[in-house]
Amino acid sequence: MTHKHILLLPGDGIGPEVVAEAEKIIAWFNQHRGTHFTTSTAYVGGIAYDKTGNPLPKETLDAAHKADALLLGAVGGPKWESLEYAARPERGLLGLRKELGLFANIRPAICFDALADASTLKRDVIAGLDIVIVRELTGDVYFGTPRGVETLPDGTRKGVNTMVYTSPEVHRIARVAFELAEKRNKKVCSVDKANVLECTEMWREEVQKIRNSEYKSIALSHMYVDNAAMQLVRNPKQFDVMVTGNIFGDILSDCAAMLTGSLGMLPSASLGAKDKNGKTPALYEPVHGSAPDIAGKGIANPIATLLSFAMMLRYSFDLGKDADLLEKAVTAVLAQGLRTADIMQDGATKVSTSGMGDAVLKALATVAKESEKAA
Ligand code: NAD
């Protein structure tokens, strides 16, 4: 493979701890699988604000544009919560998504068999779960205008956010979902609130149009978001690919996260549109936040970040076999009974953040040998 450059954005809280484990894995692939990844590190979020006064400094943005893919830890924390809105760490991440045009967020929710008992739901509801939530990331109430809070003449306050989608925005996210579904079970559920929000009524019609004109082999269903939330905890295995807007996706994907036991297990990818050189901007990150309550203790679960790197191998570098290896190594470590604190179970062995990273490295060597033998 040609040289590929990965920009590491460790960010805040547990971000640097989990990204450090991914760096070990990247080095392993360079050493043992013939990849040529180079890495550099840049600031984003609270640490970027502390260093430069800006949660998304220009140097970081420039480096992000140049890199082949980005791996982010997490941003945010109580230290920066009283800052004005534009200076907050989360604005750094939102800015990065906007600047790189990362409109499609892909979040798999997979239940590892060894963790089926760690979910708050019954084993038979979640065992074997393998669904993907495709969330639109650059539109909706998060970016629509008018927005803000004003004080009215009578002294009362009014807060406004605006839900906005255009049909091209709906079409491109629908295509991402349909393309994914074509490689899976050819089933997509589009989630909206078409019974009360006109914007999402348009969403429903446009998704259906794309299905009818371009993806006739896909079984498309539509569901209101309140029902979708209920169905996700009642019978999540009825879904395969779910596609939805920014705010509904934000909520549903965290709900799906809990199905699998811990936020520390869930990876994600945010993809943009291919440019004229054939490069697709891509940011990979764990679904969880900066977990200030456990930051610096060496107990964070790095698996979500390692699985985010597996998604990078698959989606950005077309290295599906290497992604499979990494996912198999994680499965093997869990089957051995090794657990970080967040997924600890009776009879299992508790390991630290770096202990989990090292165990995955060791398992990688074993699964790589096994797959060579099988080939
Ligand atoms: P969080 O995801 O940081 O933490 C929620 C709970 O899950 C905490 O108890 C935490 O200890 C636990 N947890 C999360 N990741 C874990 C891991 N890898 N291993 C073990 N346990 C883990 O969410 P929060 O507490 O709502 O937010 C904390 C900060 O993170 C806030 O400032 C928030 O804005 C920010 N945040 C950032 C992102 C991001 O960077 N993409 C996403 C969500 C929240």
Side-chain angles (χ1 to χ4, degrees):
M1 94 178 248
T2 52
H3 287 80
K4 297 288 178 193
H5 189 73
I6 301 170
L7 181 67
L8 303 172
L9 298 162
D12 308 317
I14 62 169
E17 299 169 48
V18 292
V19 168
E21 298 312 308
E23 282 190 78
K24 291 183 191 168
I25 304 288
I26 294 169
W28 185 90
F29 275 91
N30 280 343
Q31 236 176 359
H32 299 279
R33 297 287 299 174
T35 55
H36 299 285
F37 296 126
T38 50
T39 59
S40 58
T41 303
Y43 295 126
V44 70
I47 185 156
Y49 175 80
D50 287 350
K51 301 268 182 198
T52 70
N54 182 348
L56 179 59
K58 185 177 175 310
E59 306 82 72
T60 299
L61 197 52
D62 290 345
H65 279 296
K66 282 189 203 132
D68 292 297
L70 280 55
L71 183 67
L72 181 122
V75 297
K79 184 179 171 194
W80 302 282
E81 265 163 19
S82 55
L83 288 177
E84 59 156 325
Y85 199 57
R88 288 202 199 148
E90 292 75 12
R91 294 313 293 180
L93 182 53
L94 289 177
L96 204 52
R97 288 175 183 161
K98 193 82 188 167
E99 290 293 330
L100 294 179
L102 303 175
F103 67 89
N105 184 233
I106 300 173
R107 294 188 180 192
I110 294 170
C111 183
F112 289 89
D113 197 51
L115 293 183
D117 294 318
S119 171
T120 47
L121 299 187
K122 292 191 192 97
R123 172 178 260 276
D124 61 319
V125 175
I126 44 98
L129 179 76
D130 178 1
I131 63 176
V132 182
I133 298 192
V134 179
R135 166 188 169 194
E136 202 288 331
L137 213 52
T138 55
D140 210 341
V141 286
Y142 292 3
F143 296 98
T145 52
R147 63 183 299 153
V149 178
E150 62 175 303
T151 303
L152 302 175
D154 67 357
T156 56
R157 298 204 312 152
K158 183 170 96 173
V160 176
N161 287 96
T162 307
M163 180 176 268
V164 186
Y165 271 117
T166 62
S167 54
E169 286 174 326
V170 179
H171 294 171
R172 64 181 187 174
I173 193 73
R175 288 190 183 103
V176 171
F178 291 136
E179 297 285 334
L180 256 178
E182 285 202 319
K183 296 185 195 117
R184 295 171 53 95
N185 294 327
K186 298 187 182 296
K187 218 169 87 174
V188 172
C189 177
S190 171
V191 177
D192 57 51
K193 190 71 183 164
N195 49 343
V196 282
L197 298 171
E198 289 87 345
C199 175
T200 73
E201 192 180 0
M202 184 277 292
W203 170 288
R204 180 179 284 223
E205 290 162 3
E206 295 300 325
V207 172
Q208 188 68 51
K209 259 189 219 165
I210 295 297
R211 143 69 181 71
N212 294 351
S213 57
E214 299 172 32
Y215 298 93
K216 293 194 176 71
S217 67
I218 302 289
L220 172 65
S221 60
H222 301 273
M223 199 178 272
Y224 297 140
V225 63
D226 41 350
N227 187 23
M230 187 183 76
Q231 295 299 336
L232 260 181
V233 289
R234 194 186 72 86
N235 176 19
K237 285 188 266 183
Q238 70 183 282
F239 298 112
D240 191 56
V241 175
M242 298 177 92
V243 62
T244 189
N246 206 345
I247 191 163
F248 298 158
D250 193 356
I251 298 162
L252 291 181
S253 52
D254 266 20
C255 179
M258 278 325 291
L259 300 174
T260 66
S262 168
L263 274 173
M265 296 295 302
L266 289 163
S268 78
S270 302
L271 308 177
K274 215 178 252 183
D275 68 15
K276 54 182 186 307
N277 304 316
K279 190 171 100 179
T280 303
L283 168 74
Y284 298 85
E285 57 175 321
V287 166
H288 61 73
S290 59
D293 52 334
I294 58 164
K297 295 185 179 163
I299 58 170
N301 186 348
I303 291 178
T305 310
L306 304 188
L307 294 176
S308 300
F309 176 60
M311 290 184 84
M312 182 190 294
L313 290 170
R314 182 170 286 121
Y315 293 116
S316 281
F317 304 133
D318 209 13
L319 295 171
K321 282 194 182 137
D322 293 287
D324 288 347
L325 275 189
L326 182 47
E327 287 162 359
K328 274 189 197 150
V330 169
T331 307
V333 166
L334 295 173
Q336 287 159 22
L338 300 183
R339 301 279 186 278
T340 42
D342 56 312
I343 51 172
M344 190 57 194
Q345 289 165 291
D346 284 348
T349 308
K350 201 191 270 189
V351 293
S352 63
T353 308
S354 62
M356 181 57 87
D358 292 341
V360 173
L361 274 180
K362 208 167 148 201
L364 263 174
T366 313
V367 293
K369 262 192 210 126
E370 280 167 9
S371 84
E372 271 163 33
K373 259 191 225 155

